[in-house]
Amino acid sequence: MTNISRRLLIEQLDRKFSEMSSLKQMEIPSNGWIKAIRTAMNMSLVQLAKRLKITSVSVREIEEREQNKNITLKKLIEVAKALDLQLIYALIPRDSSLEKMIEKRAQHIAREIVMRTSQTMKLENQENKEDRIRKAIEDRAEHIRQEIPKYIWD
């Protein structure tokens, strides 16, 4: 993938993440979505079981698996369909965007690289000034942000 294509993909994903940012504050019901929705709709285990063509015991197990975060996406899709709902699945960056994640990681890696070099120079009695080190970190971080090399995730 070219850098231009990667940049475009990052921008597109970040726009989508921005639209979903309010979801970050949403709390999952303590008993899980399935049980919360089923209960709110005044639907019994037996009624949902009929829709899924399984036993009520199996529905209870599904609800327990969701509550324990041990449910498959496939099963969630099946239950959503039976409840006439749509499953929305997303992974959202904690730092609000992929761009910020990359920037943060680039800064970290750039600091490591520059400080390693700076330490070597210091040992050789060729120490750099603080502002020169800061500028070197900024320059290196910008280069890393532009290239997004695979090693930044190591």
Side-chain angles (χ1 to χ4, degrees):
M1 179 178 275
T2 67
N3 283 343
I4 294 170
S5 299
R6 185 172 287 110
R7 284 273 153 224
L8 181 60
L9 181 58
I10 289 168
E11 287 175 20
Q12 290 170 343
L13 287 170
D14 280 347
R15 272 196 301 276
K16 290 178 183 183
F17 295 144
S18 177
E19 292 170 6
M20 294 185 289
S21 65
S22 63
L23 295 177
K24 285 182 176 182
Q25 287 78 36
M26 186 180 299
E27 290 186 33
I28 298 170
S30 59
N31 290 327
W33 287 107
I34 298 169
K35 186 170 185 176
I37 292 168
R38 181 181 59 76
T39 303
M41 293 171 60
N42 199 24
M43 183 183 290
S44 71
L45 283 169
V46 172
Q47 289 170 319
L48 181 54
K50 280 182 186 175
R51 288 171 173 242
L52 288 166
K53 297 180 175 84
I54 59 176
T55 67
S56 58
V57 172
S58 294
V59 172
R60 177 164 288 135
E61 289 172 358
I62 290 169
E63 290 179 348
E64 288 171 2
R65 285 201 311 267
E66 183 199 5
Q67 186 178 8
N68 296 329
K69 297 175 178 37
N70 193 22
I71 191 167
T72 65
L73 284 173
K74 182 178 178 181
K75 190 53 72 179
L76 282 173
I77 291 168
E78 288 174 17
V79 174
K81 187 176 178 182
L83 291 170
D84 197 25
L85 301 170
Q86 179 182 356
L87 176 69
I88 304 292
Y89 172 77
L91 300 172
I92 303 172
R94 288 190 178 114
D95 281 340
S96 76
S97 72
L98 292 179
E99 192 65 48
K100 285 189 180 181
M101 285 175 59
I102 292 164
E103 184 176 326
K104 186 177 177 180
R105 191 67 185 151
Q107 282 289 330
H108 177 78
I109 297 298
R111 176 169 296 286
E112 282 183 352
I113 292 168
V114 170
M115 294 313 287
R116 233 183 354 250
T117 304
S118 180
Q119 182 64 26
T120 302
M121 291 178 75
K122 189 176 184 179
L123 292 172
E124 295 172 357
N125 213 12
Q126 300 174 357
E127 187 173 4
N128 280 317
K129 301 263 190 246
E130 190 63 35
D131 59 334
R132 183 162 159 73
I133 291 172
R134 199 173 311 114
K135 175 72 170 127
I137 292 170
E138 287 174 24
D139 291 347
R140 179 62 68 130
E142 180 59 30
H143 176 74
I144 292 169
R145 275 194 301 273
Q146 293 303 316
E147 296 296 317
I148 314 174
K150 289 186 184 296
Y151 69 79
I152 72 169
W153 307 113
D154 289 340

